[in-house]
Amino acid sequence: MDVNEPTGGLEQSPEFVQDLEGRYRLDAIFEFATWAATAIAIGVLAWLLISVLIDGLGTLDWQFITSFPSRKAERAGILPALQGTILLMVVVATFSFPLGVGAAIYLEEFATDNWFTRVVEILIGNLAGVPSIIYGLLGLTVFLRLFSDITQGPTILSGGLTLTLLILPVVIVATRESLRAVPDSTRLAGFALGANRWQVVWSHVLPAAMPGVMTGMILALSRAIGDTATLLVTGAAAFIPFSPDGFLSRYTALPIQIYNWASRPQAEFHNLAASGIIVLMAVLLIMNTTAVVLRNKFQQRS
Amino acid sequence: MIFKSRTVRFATTASLALLIGGLAACGNGTTPAPDTTNATSEPAASASSDVEGEVLIDGSSTVFPISEAMAEEFGIENPGVNVTVNLSGSGGGFKKFCADETDISNASRPIKDEEAALCEEAGIEFIEIPVAYDGLTVVVNPDNDWAQCLTVDQLNAMWSPEAEEAGVSNWNQVDPSFPDQALALFGPGSDSGTFDYFTEAVNGDGGVSRGDYQASEDDNLIVNGVQSEVGGIGYFGYAYYEENKASLQSAQIQNEAGECIAPTFETIADGSYNPMSRPLFYYVKLSSYEEKPQVKAFADYMIDPANGGLIADVGYIPLPDEDVSASQARLTEKKTGKDPQ
């Protein structure tokens, strides 16, 4: 049966073409397009993972995790870089969580809507897109040179603080979004019971927004852990034959070590770089899992 | 509801307090390194195994493998000394060196006058020590059967800024005897000492080069580029060529005596591979050398002839004996400044 033919009974406007087959075809085409988009994204990721695993699994063993770097590929390990990255993340999480969430709460819950807050909003939005090398240069001037008495030059503390600057806009934007998603009725109910703004925010709005905040933190920390340019500028060293002994220690980090190995002439070092990538991804995965578990805990509570 | 949110509050506060407390506790974690004295038979370890402290090195990525090898071996003999090596490039290294942020600066070219002036302004005196030779290797595609021996003039015809203005983009524009083949140029970026040295040798002025070539800080990309283009040509340190001999060929270079010389350990060491063989340098800060025993121990270790094997290990050419003695003399007599004699 020709679907284009008016099917009697119902009056149809002359502009309306029923073209059912065509609409279903469009539907199928759109579905295929979205499927293809997903497949391409996953395909590229799978390709990357597989090639890294093929190159890196052979040299990835316990000795690799617990050894110091070396000029000899068979002796080289990733221990100082792994410790450096973990300590960096501790610094970044410690500073970016209170600062980022605090700023977002102020802007979203306390600040009045005037030109100043609007300018700050626009600035933060733009800062989220600034290349990380720029933050590196900022960190170099501020944390390494200006505050060198506190940070002792190129140490984990100054590197971590620079990474904190890098991800602060992301944390602030994500936190504000999730605060905005908390229904106003929650706030009004609090006020109606005589609570002040601080009590409402602290005991109602923030707990309700926590899952969203945690998601933002996950994304932000993932950006920080893989960032290389910032650390290159703020003085993560390429060769560190010792474990960092605190937050004021010289350090190297996983992305730096990987970059260093990948640019060597010898193919054995390229395999080590692949092993390093696997370690980096494992750390990232552990970190994200922890954050997801925490988020689910908050979700059940609120 | 109130109870629940209190738990949340408590959990958040507690974890934050823990994190900050932990940070503060680890803050001044400069624990003295264990004083493990291990007198090995290595002559280079001469009674230096009880020193401790930091040695900060930055500079050329070409010299990095040498410093890394030295730092690794030195660290085994002197567990109390933490040697960190970084690779900001020769120029980047001098910037930090003259800002008093490092003890030793690696360089794959001599310090420039303006850099030396910067150091002088900051009151930083340095000792210049040649440590090894490297041969700048010009590589071409394995299928290239015409560019077997290149002259400096031919290289200049490819790489000079005038070549860019004249639009040189084919091998037959470089030399009429070369075939009609598109020219694809690959080289390091302008922050690298390799770039400075090559442009000095080929274009007569360090840092002057045509700009429309594929520049990369990662020499492996130059290797890939020359491999994939029949008309490809690029340059880098000899160590990269050693590792990629199978997939690239090196062009011989006509030296000042008019002979075609291929880069090898021998030709680089005896100086016949000119003008493309270059010395690599350490710049040791005088005040660090005098006041920090660990810097003195490490600097002495690096130019000890007993450790010359490490230089060959990582693909560079150790200095001939008399030059090593000259380097040692510079250090012991503390001859400061650029090219003292």
Side-chain angles (χ1 to χ4, degrees):
Chain A
M1 175 185 153
D2 188 354
V3 284
N4 284 331
E5 220 162 87
T7 46
L10 281 167
E11 260 326 299
Q12 288 193 332
S13 70
E15 300 95 59
F16 183 77
V17 188
Q18 205 186 8
D19 192 16
L20 251 190
E21 199 174 295
R23 284 195 282 155
Y24 275 119
R25 200 182 309 124
L26 210 62
D27 189 53
I29 289 172
F30 185 71
E31 189 189 339
F32 177 77
T34 53
W35 178 87
T38 317
I40 289 171
I42 291 181
V44 170
L45 188 66
W47 184 31
L48 179 82
L49 281 177
I50 290 168
S51 72
V52 163
L53 287 177
I54 289 173
D55 287 346
L57 270 186
T59 45
L60 181 66
D61 52 21
W62 191 242
Q63 187 250 333
F64 176 74
I65 310 261
T66 56
S67 298
F68 294 111
S70 165
R71 70 181 185 285
K72 296 209 169 93
E74 67 275 9
R75 266 203 331 225
I78 205 160
L79 184 67
L82 182 60
Q83 291 166 324
T85 286
I86 292 170
L87 289 177
L88 272 180
M89 286 305 113
V90 172
V91 174
V92 174
T94 310
F95 286 97
S96 64
F97 188 79
L99 286 180
V101 174
I105 290 176
Y106 172 74
L107 288 171
E108 198 59 35
E109 304 289 336
F110 289 91
T112 46
D113 187 27
N114 56 23
W115 67 268
F116 176 73
T117 47
R118 278 197 296 272
V119 168
V120 169
E121 261 168 53
I122 293 170
L123 286 182
I124 290 173
N126 281 330
L127 280 178
V130 169
S132 53
I133 189 92
I134 310 286
Y135 283 101
L137 292 171
L138 178 68
L140 179 68
T141 323
V142 177
F143 297 126
L144 266 79
R145 304 226 161 117
L146 215 57
F147 292 141
S148 61
D149 290 341
I150 304 167
T151 59
Q152 308 287 318
T155 55
I156 292 178
L157 183 62
S158 49
L161 287 175
T162 312
L163 286 178
T164 304
L165 289 186
L166 172 76
I167 66 165
L168 262 184
V170 184
V171 177
I172 293 174
V173 170
T175 308
R176 293 191 65 189
E177 288 299 328
S178 46
L179 286 175
R180 217 169 288 163
V182 177
D184 252 349
S185 54
T186 310
R187 293 182 184 89
L188 295 176
F191 292 139
L193 290 171
N196 61 21
R197 202 171 273 277
W198 148 255
Q199 289 169 318
V200 169
V201 169
W202 188 246
S203 51
H204 292 85
V205 179
L206 193 56
M210 220 43 185
V213 174
M214 294 304 290
T215 311
M217 276 302 289
I218 297 172
L219 289 174
L221 285 179
S222 307
R223 177 167 182 199
I225 199 175
D227 199 82
T228 319
T230 315
L231 294 181
L232 277 179
V233 181
T234 54
F239 178 71
I240 294 268
F242 54 88
S243 290
D245 58 4
F247 290 97
L248 293 178
S249 170
R250 315 264 159 193
Y251 69 105
T252 187
L254 288 172
I256 305 282
Q257 185 67 64
I258 292 166
Y259 173 72
N260 174 6
W261 279 332
S263 58
R264 299 284 182 105
Q266 296 88 354
E268 303 91 79
F269 280 108
H270 301 170
N271 292 339
L272 287 185
S275 307
I277 293 171
I278 299 176
V279 173
L280 179 61
M281 287 196 300
V283 173
L284 191 62
L285 210 63
I286 293 169
M287 226 167 66
N288 285 359
T289 319
T290 319
V292 169
V293 169
L294 277 178
R295 183 178 69 189
N296 291 347
K297 263 215 163 79
F298 279 117
Q299 239 157 3
Q300 281 160 15
R301 277 181 183 164
S302 47
Chain B
M1 184 65 197
I2 289 168
F3 171 73
K4 276 180 187 164
S5 50
R6 267 168 194 256
T7 335
V8 172
R9 176 165 52 179
F10 174 73
T12 324
T13 327
S15 53
L16 269 177
L18 260 176
L19 274 173
I20 294 168
L23 182 72
C26 301
N28 16 2
T30 35
T31 40
D35 185 17
T36 352
T37 332
N38 59 337
T40 50
S41 54
E42 193 81 19
S46 52
S48 57
S49 42
D50 54 344
V51 292
E52 55 187 51
E54 270 185 332
V55 181
L56 304 178
I57 305 175
D58 202 337
S60 165
S61 55
T62 309
V63 189
F64 175 81
I66 302 179
S67 292
E68 184 197 42
M70 296 285 181
E72 189 185 349
E73 294 301 323
F74 183 78
I76 294 171
E77 287 167 24
N78 302 274
V81 182
N82 289 343
V83 184
T84 64
V85 191
N86 218 337
L87 29 73
S88 305
S90 298
F94 281 128
K95 271 183 208 132
K96 293 188 181 172
F97 186 68
C98 297
D100 205 11
E101 288 171 12
T102 54
D103 298 313
I104 297 174
S105 208
N106 294 333
S108 57
R109 55 162 173 78
I111 190 169
K112 291 178 186 168
D113 288 336
E114 59 262 36
E115 289 164 342
L118 206 66
C119 269
E120 203 183 321
E121 223 170 82
I124 286 167
E125 289 188 279
F126 55 83
I127 310 169
E128 180 187 76
I129 308 169
V131 282
Y133 282 114
D134 184 24
L136 272 186
T137 306
V138 176
V139 290
V140 293
N141 190 279
D143 293 334
N144 181 323
D145 55 2
W146 59 91
Q148 296 302 309
C149 179
L150 293 170
T151 64
V152 172
D153 287 341
Q154 285 169 338
L155 288 172
N156 177 267
M158 294 178 210
W159 289 94
S160 66
E162 292 79 37
E164 181 176 357
E165 279 161 35
V168 173
S169 59
N170 196 304
W171 280 89
N172 61 18
Q173 287 170 282
V174 176
D175 191 304
S177 68
F178 289 158
D180 175 19
Q181 178 72 52
L183 181 67
L185 300 164
F186 300 88
S190 57
D191 242 7
S192 117
T194 309
F195 170 86
D196 285 332
Y197 200 88
F198 182 84
T199 47
E200 172 91 48
V202 166
N203 297 334
D205 202 354
V208 170
S209 166
R210 73 190 286 176
D212 60 338
Y213 69 96
Q214 293 248 5
S216 164
E217 298 300 338
D218 182 352
D219 290 343
N220 288 311
L221 295 179
I222 303 174
V223 172
N224 290 345
V226 176
Q227 274 168 8
S228 58
E229 301 249 7
V230 179
I233 182 166
Y235 62 92
F236 39 62
Y238 182 68
Y240 272 85
Y241 170 65
E242 269 285 307
E243 287 299 325
N244 293 286
K245 264 181 177 167
S247 53
L248 290 172
Q249 60 171 332
S250 69
Q252 296 179 347
I253 304 293
Q254 200 178 63
N255 68 10
E256 279 149 21
E259 301 162 302
C260 284
I261 304 287
T264 62
F265 266 90
E266 293 74 34
T267 56
I268 296 169
D270 67 18
S272 59
Y273 183 68
N274 62 51
M276 295 294 195
S277 74
R278 58 169 172 174
L280 304 175
F281 299 93
Y282 294 137
Y283 286 83
V284 181
K285 196 200 293 173
L286 181 66
S287 59
S288 297
Y289 187 74
E290 285 176 335
E291 289 153 26
K292 298 183 185 170
Q294 74 275 20
V295 175
K296 181 180 186 324
F298 185 68
D300 291 343
Y301 183 91
M302 287 195 300
I303 56 160
D304 192 309
N307 301 318
L310 295 177
I311 296 174
D313 251 17
V314 291
Y316 294 93
I317 293 90
L319 296 180
D321 289 343
E322 65 268 26
D323 292 0
V324 174
S325 317
S327 284
Q328 281 180 313
R330 276 189 188 186
L331 202 52
T332 47
E333 289 159 26
K334 294 172 189 166
K335 288 184 183 164
T336 57
K338 191 180 172 181
D339 202 16
Q341 226 30 269

